[in-house]
Amino acid sequence: MKMRNTLFVLVALVAGMASAQVTSRNAANAYGEKSLAERVTKIEKQNDWFNLYMNMHGAFDAKFNQDSRNGLSEGAFNMRQLRIEAKGKVNDWLSYRWRQRLNRSNDGGGMIDNLPNSIDLAYIAVQLNEKLSLTAGKQCAAYGGFEFDANPIEIYQYSEIINNMSNFMTGLSLIYDVTPTQQLQFQILDSRNGSQEDTYGAGLEESRLPLVYSVNWNANMFDNAWQTRWSASLMEETHGKYMYYVALGNQFNFSERCNMYVDLMSSLEQVDRKGIMTNLLGGQGAFGGHNMYNALYNSLVTKINFRVQPKWNLFAKGMFESAGVAKDTDGVAKGNYRTSLGYIAGVEFYPMETNLHFYLAFIGQSNFFTERAKAFGQDDYSTQRVSLGFIYQLPLF
């Protein structure tokens, strides 16, 4: 018994040291798997006030670029995601969550919220009554869409529109459960993490209220057959210039074995927030040292899962995206400049009744530029990679 207690203390100390050293709105570890501490000590947890997880996504990536002489441009092992996460329920009205990326810089200097970008989440949630709750701190933006809503370790390749967004910012959220299957979320966050100049470039008048306002509708209808993650957001980027963002996420559960989601997203940015169009047309130097004006991005993303066997899942994902200019500005004509096609297919193997899975996936993207873009020196190109890896949210404590 003394040895068992000693082991328990050692595991707790290791967990504490890990948290001292170091989006998603998804629930952590929904499989009810026993933690590593419980397995080592043989002592079952008696409360839910502290849970510690290691989120891992590692792979061997073989990359193939169009201009590679022999087809293969690089093959290497890659820890694509490594995050440590703690969450818990202090009592019946107060809970918390913290998640930090271990493979990103911890420098918080110059950040508007005094937090490094390595911290995804650092918030408390207060249950005000049966239907109303408040979240305060650094959290995931309520942008909507199922790709955006997923745990980052589950994403093999983000769409371009999501991959170039700032997803985790500090502020407040008010969540109202209209019915057991209908939820509204009202959110106000900082609109950026770093300085305005780092985000948009020099020479733009600074906003006095650099904030983003979002409303999000989450629903589960027709006995779980149709789920929604819809949102509308207004962001003040610089003084008098805004980003308007809409996301319509829909998931369809056809059976216990088959489901798919379809996300529609559109972002109109009076100052190019994502920087894709700015870089495509010559960089900040082509626009007076700052990002270009009136960028427009549209995206359609869909993914289907089919559980052919209890331990085997087949999946396919497609992404159709465009990047352009909403109106003539700075000598750049209105219109579409690039169309991007993303495609992913693979197989997953779940060896245990947990979220651990191994996978083999093919991931590709083809970019097609219009004549407008080719006048700026752009040429069509494609990239592909084959990834063999694993994904696991390991419960440590």
Side-chain angles (χ1 to χ4, degrees):
M1 186 66 183
K2 184 176 180 180
M3 178 62 71
R4 179 180 296 179
N5 291 336
T6 302
L7 286 172
F8 179 82
V9 171
L10 288 172
V11 170
L13 285 172
V14 169
M17 288 188 292
S19 62
Q21 292 170 353
V22 297
T23 105
S24 155
R25 289 164 286 168
N26 58 288
N29 201 283
Y31 290 84
E33 182 182 2
K34 284 188 176 182
S35 70
L36 190 61
E38 289 177 278
R39 293 176 184 274
V40 171
T41 64
K42 310 296 185 183
I43 299 175
E44 187 175 346
K45 284 178 62 176
Q46 299 298 316
N47 57 62
D48 194 39
W49 70 269
F50 180 70
N51 300 276
L52 185 67
Y53 302 94
M54 182 69 76
N55 295 274
M56 297 179 288
H57 181 164
F60 179 82
D61 295 328
K63 299 179 181 179
F64 303 85
N65 294 329
Q66 188 181 53
D67 58 355
S68 177
R69 181 180 302 175
N70 299 314
L72 177 67
S73 60
E74 183 184 58
F77 292 98
N78 183 5
M79 184 56 74
R80 307 189 65 83
Q81 300 280 350
L82 185 62
R83 287 169 160 91
I84 193 162
E85 176 176 352
K87 63 181 295 186
K89 191 171 183 180
V90 179
N91 52 40
D92 59 357
W93 58 267
L94 179 64
S95 60
Y96 67 90
R97 190 174 179 189
W98 162 76
R99 189 174 73 197
Q100 187 159 356
R101 283 170 276 190
L102 302 184
N103 48 2
R104 177 167 288 193
S105 170
N106 291 323
D107 182 13
M111 297 299 174
I112 193 172
D113 58 2
N114 202 34
L115 289 173
N117 279 336
S118 63
I119 295 180
D120 291 340
L121 308 169
Y123 67 76
I124 61 169
V126 180
Q127 192 70 39
L128 301 174
N129 57 42
E130 290 183 357
K131 292 192 171 185
L132 195 63
S133 63
L134 176 71
T135 301
K138 192 166 187 181
Q139 56 198 276
C140 185
Y143 282 151
F146 281 86
E147 179 187 48
F148 186 82
D149 195 54
N151 188 324
I153 64 173
E154 298 287 348
I155 303 297
Y156 296 103
Q157 180 65 50
Y158 277 107
S159 58
E160 284 284 290
I161 199 169
I162 298 297
N163 199 44
N164 290 278
M165 292 177 70
S166 300
N167 302 336
F168 304 103
M169 294 171 287
T170 301
L172 297 171
S173 290
L174 193 65
I175 301 171
Y176 179 62
D177 294 326
V178 183
T179 70
T181 61
Q182 305 277 330
Q183 183 185 83
L184 290 175
Q185 181 174 0
F186 305 92
Q187 188 182 69
I188 178 171
L189 304 175
D190 292 332
S191 65
R192 48 184 166 81
N193 302 112
S195 69
Q196 177 176 289
E197 185 168 332
D198 288 342
T199 306
Y200 301 106
L204 298 172
E205 186 177 352
E206 191 158 347
S207 168
R208 296 182 180 180
L209 287 172
L211 301 172
V212 55
Y213 312 87
S214 298
V215 58
N216 183 276
W217 174 53
N218 303 320
N220 185 337
M221 296 176 287
F222 306 114
D223 194 26
N224 202 39
W226 177 32
Q227 296 173 294
T228 67
R229 298 287 186 272
W230 292 11
S231 73
S233 302
L234 171 67
M235 174 188 291
E236 184 165 6
E237 301 182 291
T238 64
H239 180 69
K241 295 192 178 297
Y242 299 87
M243 182 186 85
Y244 305 89
Y245 181 77
V246 175
L248 304 176
N250 303 272
Q251 178 162 293
F252 305 96
N253 299 306
F254 303 115
S255 69
E256 292 184 357
R257 299 172 61 186
C258 184
N259 66 67
M260 72 176 294
Y261 69 72
V262 180
D263 289 345
L264 296 169
M265 296 164 282
S266 182
S267 183
L268 173 59
E269 304 171 9
Q270 293 182 337
V271 181
D272 184 15
R273 169 82 174 196
K274 295 172 181 60
I276 298 172
M277 282 300 302
T278 300
N279 294 330
L280 188 155
L281 299 179
Q284 291 182 344
F287 303 99
H290 58 74
N291 288 6
M292 69 168 294
Y293 296 147
N294 300 312
L296 176 63
Y297 302 103
N298 294 299
S299 181
L300 167 64
V301 179
T302 183
K303 182 184 179 185
I304 185 167
N305 292 288
F306 183 59
R307 202 73 171 241
V308 291
Q309 294 290 335
K311 292 186 177 183
W312 292 93
N313 182 61
L314 300 178
F315 66 91
K317 181 177 179 179
M319 297 168 279
F320 179 83
E321 301 183 89
S322 66
V325 179
K327 63 180 181 180
D328 296 351
T329 180
D330 292 332
V332 179
K334 171 184 176 180
N336 183 41
Y337 281 73
R338 189 195 71 175
T339 299
S340 176
L341 297 177
Y343 35 92
I344 305 173
V347 58
E348 298 169 329
F349 173 62
Y350 293 77
M352 306 184 296
E353 292 184 3
T354 71
N355 65 359
L356 169 66
H357 49 289
F358 301 93
Y359 71 87
L360 175 65
F362 173 79
I363 299 106
Q365 180 176 329
S366 297
N367 297 278
F368 305 99
F369 295 94
T370 64
E371 292 303 318
R372 295 187 188 92
K374 290 179 179 179
F376 287 86
Q378 299 296 331
D379 289 313
D380 299 345
Y381 69 92
S382 298
T383 62
Q384 291 88 31
R385 79 172 191 264
V386 176
S387 292
L388 177 65
F390 74 96
I391 295 171
Y392 192 24
Q393 186 182 66
L394 171 66
L396 295 174
F397 183 81

